[in-house]
Amino acid sequence: MVTDHQPAQEDTSGVLVPDVREKLRRSGYTLTSQRRAVLEALSRAKGHPSAEDVYLIVKRENPRVALGTVYQALSVLEEVGVIGSKHWAESPTRYDLNVEPHLDIRCIRCGEVSEVPGVALGGVEEIIRNNTPYRVTRATMVVEGLCPACIDS
């Protein structure tokens, strides 16, 4: 959770609180304590956590929190563009504070999801717009493999 020694304008996720508040306000929402707790849990989570993973992190600080509350907070935060989500067929939805175009890789054995550094995807949407009559609303690429821990086991 945010402590007194941290900057007042920034939470532990590195997401500027005024920016989050503004995005929520423009969509008719507010930055509730539950939404803040979910953002902080996302910042502390390893990789790209599922809703259940986020719930377990939030529950450590607030044992009375309900799983439905976490799902609702994730839904609102995604709706307003503060977080993103990735969907793989064999895995629960994973959440990410990085909403910029980027490439993720998922381990086919353990399900761990990691970002792939050094791969720029920002131009993909523009190329599609320039070469098709589609209006791109979301572009994702699925990359799967074995993580180092699973290779070693």
Side-chain angles (χ1 to χ4, degrees):
M1 295 307 251
V2 176
T3 60
D4 292 336
H5 70 275
Q6 292 175 331
Q9 295 297 329
E10 199 168 298
D11 66 11
T12 57
S13 67
V15 178
L16 291 178
V17 171
D19 293 344
V20 171
R21 280 195 177 113
E22 179 59 22
K23 284 182 178 183
L24 287 163
R25 186 194 62 74
R26 278 183 288 174
S27 297
Y29 298 105
T30 60
L31 181 59
T32 63
S33 61
Q34 295 91 344
R35 292 179 188 134
R36 180 185 285 268
V38 165
L39 283 171
E40 291 172 355
L42 283 167
S43 74
R44 290 195 303 264
K46 180 179 181 282
H48 296 60
S50 67
E52 290 80 9
D53 296 331
V54 173
Y55 166 71
L56 292 173
I57 295 168
V58 172
K59 192 170 180 67
R60 282 187 229 139
E61 298 289 325
N62 180 359
R64 299 185 67 169
V65 71
L67 179 58
T69 300
V70 171
Y71 271 107
Q72 186 176 34
L74 288 166
S75 176
V76 168
L77 292 168
E78 183 179 12
E79 177 188 329
V80 302
V82 174
I83 64 171
S85 68
K86 296 279 171 89
H87 311 274
W88 283 274
E90 304 83 25
S91 176
T93 299
R94 303 300 186 116
Y95 295 91
D96 192 356
L97 285 170
N98 183 357
V99 294
E100 297 301 316
H102 66 280
L103 186 61
D104 291 319
I105 187 166
R106 185 182 78 86
C107 179
I108 59 174
R109 188 173 293 157
C110 71
E112 179 178 332
V113 178
S114 302
E115 290 184 15
V116 179
V119 179
L121 291 181
V124 172
E125 292 179 16
E126 185 175 344
I127 291 168
I128 293 169
R129 277 193 295 273
N130 291 339
N131 291 296
T132 73
Y134 285 83
R135 181 172 47 143
V136 177
T137 57
R138 181 177 179 184
T140 61
M141 181 182 291
V142 175
V143 179
E144 296 179 316
L146 290 172
C147 71
C150 288
I151 290 170
D152 293 340
S153 64

